[in-house]
Structures are given as structure tokens and as C-alpha cells.
Amino acid sequence: MQPGDSRYESFVRAHNTRFSNRPDQVTIATTSAHVAEALGKAVAAGRQVSVRSGGHCLENFTTWSGVKDLIDLSQMSDVYFDERRRAFAVGPGAIVAPTQNTLFKGWGVTIPSAGCSEVGLGGHILGGGYNFYSRIHGIAVDHLYAVEVVVVGADGQPRIVVATREANDPNRDLWWAHTGGGGGNFGVVTRYWMRTPGVDTADPTKLLPRGSDQRVRTVQWSWDTLSQQSFTTLIRNYCQWYERNSAPGAKEVEVWASFSASHVSAGVIGLMAGVSKTVPGGEALLDGLFDAVTAGAGVTAATDSRSELAWIDRDNWFWGPPGRQKDKTSDLRKSYTDEQIATIYRYLHDDSISNPGAQVNLAALGGKINSVRANATAYVHRDSILRTYFTPGVWRAEADDAAHVAWVRKCYRDVYSRTGGVPVPDAINAGAYINYPDVDLADPEWNTSNTPWHGLYYGANYARLQQVKRTYDPRHVFRHPLSIRPT
């Protein structure tokens, strides 16, 4: 498909509308052989190729100006049980909500993947993949059994490789690289197989975690009633509760949560948390979190609601509208300092923007995630307790770019001012998450630390990822502004 085709505009549009590109060729792939054919033609012609599944990349990895060929995987969306491999096969174009519906309705199982309903699993799983239930079940790649990948050899010829986690698999390193190495680095994934390790059965209903109904509590506090001291106490208490209650196996691991410290223009901030209805004493665990968070804060809730949420309910996933975006993340090993919380408070009151979607969100990690060694998968964040998401919200007009981008850049830089403007791993910080890529981490204007971008995303695992890159992408066919460098 080329410019002029009636389908073209729909296929080149990205979820983050700050970025756009008009490649010479768009291939709507339907099989791995189709992908290999398109790759072979692009490499032979010397054209830069990129790959897209759901189109939700926060940066311009599929839209930078050098991309001449775009391979779209959205039609490769099958989800089924593969009896031969005793695993669930998932196409790279599969979308979160429909996939979870298929897995649950068919077998009662789930993958701990993204909480955003429209995200494509093709890119999401590659970075690690997490959601609310990852404290209990681990991240998506902890259940990744195998990948089918189209790679390009030194001779420029594509070939289809299946790599598994089996110890004797000659391509096991390629599987390992896909357990958190990020998208657009080694080849084109054309199929995932998901199966929880250590489960020896042919019964598909036991091969992945079981979905379960949830008890959910949501509390909001009005900005009109919050002082800086009460805000600081709420955030500190929340972080410290997860410091105390994130060890693998602890009963409190069953409690997931998301604290939305929204911009003052939203009027409120809020904490949403939940626990499975099957957990004995679950409601008491849930209330224990809220009691600990509000202790000593002197706050009165504006709203306090409880609900029971069926696993298949659409409210189990969020939907984020397309628009212009610039977002950042970091992981925490311990609570923010009062100085950092004061910085967050200051930016949430900054009137340079007035976007109710702007927020600093803290989502719970730890638990099962942290039961895996940091080098067992490419995903290195195995001692984090929280993930912070900095966003100015979504906006529509290009004229508003400068204000929104400046707000989130300065907020992030100032929160991490003691470590060069970025979350350099130390006693408090634990780097950043590659599924929320941020090119500023490779920009010396915004990263003045001595830690390179890949040290923030991959830590000590980067050297091994480079080795895999040299082996499976020796021509550096797959590249973007934050891609793994072969040397």
C-alpha cells in the first residue's frame, strides 16, 4: 500500500499525534512469511523499515523521518491454545482487552499485561508488560514460553526463528532478549506463546494465572482541602506502605493500587486500590492500605466508593484517547524524599498548563515481580516497589506543545535534580521502564548524570542485549532513537 491508497492515512496515523511520517510503502502483514517477504524487499532496496502493532509508542520510533517502509501487524491478531506447544499463541496485532476477553471466556485465564484496553501486545510484551495484577502474578514476560521472530542475517536474507525458554534451545538468547529488551531491536515478532513456568499439565485452564473478581475502593480528596503538608503526608505514607509490603509472598502483595496526584486544575487527587474477592480477609487488607495512607494527614475524603468488579468487566481496563503526548516514567525502591514530594506539589500547582489530565501517578509494583533474578530476564526492574508516571495529559493543538512538553520535562528534571535530572539507580531510584520510552534520557540537556540512557532502562543487562543484537541483527536493520546498539 502506498500514498494515494484510500487506506493509507488510517495506517500511518499513530496514537501519539505529535508524531507523523509518510513512508513510501505500508505492508499490512498477515503471516510470518509475508513479513519476511516485506523485510527482504526493504533490505535489498536499502530502505529503512519499522514495525507497528497497536501504534501506541510514546515516542517516534515508527514515525521518524528515516522510515521508508512500515510493516503493520494489526491483522495478525489470533489468540488460541496451541496443543503442540501446550501454550497460548498470541499474534503481535492482538489488542489487550479483546485478548483478555478471549483468554478468560475460553479458559478462565489471563496474562498480566497492560491496563490500557487498546494497546497492542506486539510491542507491549517486549518491554516486560505489567498491570495491576503483576504484584500477584508477575509481569507478562514471566509467562513467555516462546517467540517466533523474523530476523535478518548478515547476508541480508530474512529467516523465521522460533526461540524458547528451554535450557537446550540454541536460540534461547533470542528468547531472553524478548523478555524486556523492548520493541524494534532484534527482528519482527510474529507470534508469542504464553505459559507459566513450572506448570506441567496439558490442561489449558491451568497454564496461565486465573482471572478473579475484584473488590475495589476509590477515595478522592479535594485540592481545596489539601495543604502542602497533608499532600506530603499522603504521598509519603503511600510510598512507605509499599516499602513495607512488597516482599514476595507477603499477604499484602494481594493489594494493588494506583495513586493519581492530579494537577490542581482537575480539582481532586485520588487513590484507587483493589484485591481479589477470593483472598481471605481481603477487605481488611484493602482498608489497611487506606488507613495507613491517611494516618496523620488530617484529611477528609470528598468521595469514598466501593464496588465489586467482575473480571470481565470493561472497567478492568482503561482507554486512553489519541492525542498529543509527552510522558515519562521512573521506578522507586523506596519512598520519595520530602524534598521530592515538595517539587511534585509545586508542579501540580504550576499554572503554565491547565490540563486536568496532567498528573504524577504512582502504581504499585513488587511482590511476584521481585521474586525473579534481575538477569533471569532482560527486564531488570526486580526490586522496584512503585512505578511513577509523569504526564501533562493529552492535548490536541500543536500550539500547546511547548507548554505541555516543558511542564513534564522540568517537573521530571527537578524531581531528580540530585541525580542529574534522571532516576539514576540508587537507594531510592530504580531507573526507567522502556515501554514508556523517553528520548530525553539520551539527551545531555536533560540527562546531566554520568549514567547513559541504557543504564536507566536495562542496567547490567544491556551488555548481553548488545551480544544478542550482534548475533541476530548484525546489519542493524532494526533501529530507532533508543534502540539497542550492536557495539
Side-chain angles (χ1 to χ4, degrees), residues 53-76:
S53 54
H56 278 67
C57 184
L58 293 178
E59 289 288 5
N60 65 338
F61 291 179
T62 65
T63 55
W64 60 286
S65 60
V67 173
K68 302 302 180 185
D69 281 31
L70 178 66
I71 299 177
D72 183 279
L73 305 177
S74 62
Q75 302 307 296
M76 299 177 66

Side-chain angles (χ1 to χ4, degrees), residues 10-15 26-29 35 50-57 61-62 70-77 90-96 99 118-127 182-184 187-192 435:
S10 294
F11 278 91
V12 298
R13 179 180 170 86
H15 187 78
V26 178
T27 299
I28 307 169
V35 170
S50 190
V51 185
R52 179 183 292 170
S53 54
H56 278 67
C57 184
F61 291 179
T62 65
L70 178 66
I71 299 177
D72 183 279
L73 305 177
S74 62
Q75 302 307 296
M76 299 177 66
S77 57
V90 178
I95 302 300
V96 166
T99 299
E118 297 299 312
V119 166
L121 288 170
H124 175 74
I125 292 176
L126 289 174
V188 183
V189 175
T190 50
R191 188 173 289 109
Y192 296 98
N435 269 2

Side-chain angles (χ1 to χ4, degrees), residues 179-320:
T179 62
N185 281 313
F186 310 101
V188 183
V189 175
T190 50
R191 188 173 289 109
Y192 296 98
W193 283 274
M194 310 298 296
R195 188 176 83 201
T196 300
V199 179
D200 186 16
T201 178
D203 183 354
T205 67
K206 298 178 180 178
L207 290 175
L208 283 173
R210 302 287 295 176
S212 60
D213 296 348
Q214 300 286 307
R215 290 189 175 94
V216 180
R217 183 178 175 188
T218 304
V219 174
Q220 292 183 318
W221 299 277
S222 171
W223 268 121
D224 291 339
T225 66
L226 290 175
S227 66
Q228 181 172 342
Q229 181 178 355
S230 59
F231 176 82
T232 299
T233 301
L234 288 172
I235 298 296
R236 186 201 309 123
N237 286 350
Y238 176 77
C239 293
Q240 290 180 348
W241 191 90
Y242 279 98
E243 278 187 48
R244 298 190 302 271
N245 298 296
S246 293
K251 61 182 180 179
E252 291 85 1
V253 161
E254 300 284 351
V255 178
W256 53 263
S258 173
F259 197 124
S260 297
S262 300
H263 189 268
V264 69
S265 59
V268 296
I269 64 173
L271 171 57
M272 178 179 68
V275 65
S276 171
K277 288 175 64 177
T278 62
V279 173
E283 192 158 358
L285 290 174
L286 192 59
D287 289 344
L289 166 64
F290 283 88
D291 291 345
V293 169
T294 56
V299 294
T300 301
T303 64
D304 187 345
S305 63
R306 298 174 187 264
S307 61
E308 292 190 354
L309 189 64
W311 181 256
I312 207 65
D313 195 300
R314 288 182 62 87
D315 285 343
N316 262 306
W317 301 285
F318 296 103
W319 179 76

Side-chain angles (χ1 to χ4, degrees), residues 28 46 100 132 162 165 197 228 247 279 302 313 354 386 392 469 473:
I28 307 169
Q100 300 287 21
F132 288 150
V162 174
R165 67 175 174 231
Q228 181 172 342
V279 173
D313 195 300
S354 182
L386 293 163
K469 178 76 168 179
D473 184 22

Side-chain angles (χ1 to χ4, degrees), residues 168-188:
N168 61 353
D169 188 330
N171 295 304
R172 191 177 189 278
D173 271 357
L174 185 61
W175 165 84
W176 179 89
H178 286 83
T179 62
N185 281 313
F186 310 101
V188 183

